[in-house]
Amino acid sequence: MDTGKQITFPLMMSVGAAVIGSLQFGYNTGVINAPQMIIENFINETWFDRYQQSITKNSLTAIWSISVSIFSVGGIFGSFSVGLFVNRFGRRNSMLLANILSFIAAALMGFSKMARSWEMLIIGRFVVGLYSGLSTGFVPMYVGEVSPTSLRGALGTLHQLGIVLGILIAQVFGMESIMGSSELWPLLLGFIFIPAVFQCILLPLCPESPRFLLINKNEENKAKAVLKKLRGTTDVSADMQEMKEESRQMMREKKVTILELFRSPLYRQPLLIAVVLQLSQQLSGINAVFYFSTRIFEKAKVEQPVYATIGAGVVNTAFTVVSLFVVERAGRRSLHLLGLIGMAGSAVLMTIALALLEQIKWMSYLSIVAIFAFVAFFEIGPGPIPWFIVAELFSQGPRPSAIAVAGFSNWTANFIVGMSFQYVADQCGPYVFVIFTVLLLFFFIFTYFRVPETKGRTFDEIAAGFRQTGVAGGEKHSPEELNSLGADSQL
């Protein structure tokens, strides 16, 4: 079997341990929705105990909205801090350190009811947001750097699989019969303690990123030993050669800060692609679909809408697995395009179905089909691909800064959608999906004309492609910039 294609136990162990961070992110994204009424009752009771009067509707809505959206604010800060950790502590140790935040958040949220403090719940949501923001940077970077080139896309998709599995687990655990009850909701929110413990046990058994060891630490023997373990072969000369090539360029290139990333014309193209792909994920309307799903299922006379929403979660997970198997065959760009156009078609169907729901009875079933199709197309392209393609577009020097900027864009868009969607949906009703259709078509056109295919190409070859585009455009660049985008690579 080709060693580049071989999946070894140490490789799967490393990727699996890292992806626990993605699972945590997904879990905390989905966990707050199910017990909304119960937590609102808790806020009301706490308020009454303190002030001897019931809370006003506006104050309750404000506290609830802050509890939900403060998670994204934490994510914004966390994603922007990725570079501070990964270059100082390494990729693996950064993931290990981040679990301190997970434990603090679990304690704050888990004991908020006992302490009769909704403030603890809000601070806990902010802290777990910080953890999730860091994870969305650490996990794709580590997975991309330990994976062989031929498996980088498939293993990169595991980050998204972790996220959707986390959302699904949160939906199931949030059912009233499991942990979504007035007694057990603190346990539901504090459950993140368990995966954090598992990750703390598993990560020390995993190796550090060989790229980090060789390029950042200059520890060639350690990097070679780690590669032999990960690849399950003694001949790792091709991998070592590729990393040394990158290392040689980095000797001549200073580390790229976030400001330099924005100032340099050479990084403009890959940075624009990285940011727009992240926006295509958050502004695609996927959050809107999950928000509307329960209501649509109720209108379709589904006995238990919660089960239908969990069904959408299962479709979510199943199609992420499909993406996992086809991403190295079909390529990133083609899957992203297919996902975007499929979502746009589903959004049009959903708009028609929602608009005619009252007049034509069977439209409710069409809306359910449209929801499942929308979710399926999301997981084929815009769900998994933006996360790992960012790591592929940049060489080792600018990569941490680029991942921080991309993560920041993703979380900021997430926050904006979370805060404004309710208002826009109230104003537009079923036609809210027209907005998302227009956005999806814009992202499709952008991807078609601007995004390169990265399947089966080394980090250095991808970067060299951008360098050639920059040179062809007649822009003047410093030698350091040219080096950082693979000026010496042989295509």
Side-chain angles (χ1 to χ4, degrees):
M1 191 184 202
D2 174 19
T3 52
K5 284 274 186 194
Q6 203 163 331
I7 296 177
T8 60
F9 178 74
L11 176 64
M12 284 321 292
M13 169 99 156
S14 304
V15 173
V19 166
I20 292 173
S22 320
L23 187 97
Q24 290 266 52
F25 168 40
Y27 185 84
N28 287 291
T29 302
V31 77
I32 201 79
N33 299 325
Q36 178 176 351
M37 307 288 281
I38 292 163
I39 294 173
E40 283 179 345
N41 283 340
F42 157 72
I43 295 167
N44 194 6
E45 286 164 18
T46 309
W47 189 281
F48 191 83
D49 286 349
R50 285 185 200 172
Y51 309 111
Q52 273 66 58
Q53 62 181 47
S54 290
I55 192 169
T56 63
K57 191 175 189 306
N58 285 348
S59 300
L60 182 61
T61 306
I63 293 172
W64 173 255
S65 298
I66 292 166
S67 306
V68 175
S69 58
I70 199 83
F71 175 69
S72 303
V73 177
I76 290 169
F77 284 106
S79 63
F80 227 51
S81 313
V82 168
L84 299 174
F85 286 85
V86 288
N87 291 328
R88 191 164 299 145
F89 303 110
R91 280 62 164 147
R92 182 198 65 179
N93 294 344
S94 295
M95 290 190 287
L96 208 49
L97 280 170
N99 279 303
I100 296 168
L101 294 171
S102 197
F103 291 128
I104 293 169
L108 283 165
M109 295 189 291
F111 292 111
S112 57
K113 188 185 179 193
M114 205 182 285
R116 305 201 68 72
S117 164
W118 44 262
E119 294 88 348
M120 278 172 70
L121 173 66
I122 290 172
I123 298 165
R125 287 282 294 168
F126 175 76
V127 173
V128 85
L130 272 176
Y131 168 84
S132 299
L134 288 168
S135 284
T136 54
F138 296 161
V139 178
M141 190 185 294
Y142 178 76
V143 171
E145 291 183 8
V146 297
S147 305
T149 302
S150 58
L151 291 171
R152 214 171 49 219
L155 295 178
T157 305
L158 288 173
H159 170 61
Q160 181 68 12
L161 182 62
I163 295 172
V164 297
L165 264 178
I167 293 171
L168 183 60
I169 291 167
Q171 286 171 337
V172 173
F173 284 4
M175 290 167 68
E176 207 170 337
S177 55
I178 302 177
M179 281 194 275
S181 61
S182 51
E183 293 80 37
L184 292 178
W185 69 262
L187 188 62
L188 178 70
L189 298 182
F191 179 78
I192 54 171
F193 179 86
I194 308 287
V197 168
F198 273 111
Q199 197 174 37
C200 287
I201 294 166
L202 292 173
L203 275 177
L205 307 174
C206 302
E208 182 48 272
S209 153
R211 264 189 151 68
F212 172 78
L213 291 172
L214 180 73
I215 298 174
N216 298 66
K217 289 288 189 191
N218 205 20
E219 296 177 351
E220 187 176 330
N221 291 337
K222 266 192 188 175
K224 193 177 267 189
V226 165
L227 270 174
K228 285 178 179 175
K229 195 171 150 190
L230 287 169
R231 303 288 180 265
T233 175
T234 48
D235 179 21
V236 289
S237 51
D239 283 292
M240 287 301 288
Q241 189 53 44
E242 187 210 327
M243 292 196 299
K244 279 181 182 170
E245 182 65 46
E246 206 171 326
S247 180
R248 192 161 62 83
Q249 290 164 27
M250 276 200 68
M251 297 294 182
R252 288 179 263 171
E253 129 184 67
K254 59 186 190 312
K255 194 166 74 55
V256 182
T257 63
I258 288 171
L259 270 177
E260 286 163 346
L261 201 62
F262 279 103
R263 283 185 188 143
S264 165
L266 194 69
Y267 301 131
R268 203 165 288 152
Q269 177 83 345
L271 189 65
L272 178 69
I273 290 169
V275 169
V276 173
L277 285 180
Q278 295 291 344
L279 296 180
S280 76
Q281 183 189 78
Q282 286 300 330
L283 303 178
S284 63
I286 192 72
N287 300 357
V289 164
F290 275 111
Y291 163 76
F292 256 118
S293 60
T294 309
R295 216 181 87 191
I296 294 166
F297 293 138
E298 277 169 1
K299 283 196 172 175
K301 306 284 186 290
V302 172
E303 288 297 310
Q304 288 278 358
V306 67
Y307 291 127
T309 305
I310 290 170
V314 172
V315 171
N316 215 357
T317 310
F319 275 87
T320 308
V321 175
V322 171
S323 176
L324 183 77
F325 287 107
V326 298
V327 72
E328 289 299 354
R329 290 192 183 89
R332 287 73 156 138
R333 184 173 171 274
S334 350
L335 283 181
H336 197 67
L337 286 168
L338 174 66
L340 289 168
I341 204 71
M343 287 175 85
S346 307
V348 170
L349 267 184
M350 208 154 357
T351 308
I352 296 166
L354 287 172
L356 300 175
L357 207 55
E358 303 305 327
Q359 294 97 302
I360 306 168
K361 204 169 185 300
W362 57 265
M363 277 294 169
S364 58
Y365 299 106
L366 181 66
S367 64
I368 293 175
V369 171
I371 282 185
F372 282 8
F374 193 91
V375 167
F377 279 114
F378 176 76
E379 290 308 347
I380 282 173
I385 285 164
W387 289 120
F388 67 85
I389 204 168
V390 181
E392 296 185 329
L393 293 174
F394 293 88
S395 62
Q396 196 81 359
R399 191 178 295 135
S401 296
I403 283 182
V405 171
F408 178 78
S409 314
N410 190 293
W411 281 97
T412 307
N414 186 331
F415 177 69
I416 292 165
V417 169
M419 288 301 279
S420 62
F421 178 73
Q422 187 82 49
Y423 174 75
V424 176
D426 289 346
Q427 294 297 309
C428 304
Y431 299 103
V432 70
F433 288 104
V434 174
I435 300 168
F436 293 120
T437 307
V438 172
L439 285 167
L440 285 161
L441 291 173
F442 162 74
F443 292 128
F444 178 85
I445 293 163
F446 178 89
T447 305
Y448 186 81
F449 287 108
R450 302 300 287 272
V451 179
E453 183 52 79
T454 58
K455 180 186 75 164
R457 295 164 73 191
T458 65
F459 289 128
D460 207 29
E461 287 167 353
I462 295 160
F466 285 119
R467 178 187 59 78
Q468 287 178 344
T469 311
V471 172
E475 293 167 341
K476 294 271 191 289
H477 306 295
S478 69
E480 287 89 355
E481 288 172 350
L482 287 174
N483 286 337
S484 77
L485 274 181
D488 300 322
S489 71
Q490 300 300 308
L491 278 173

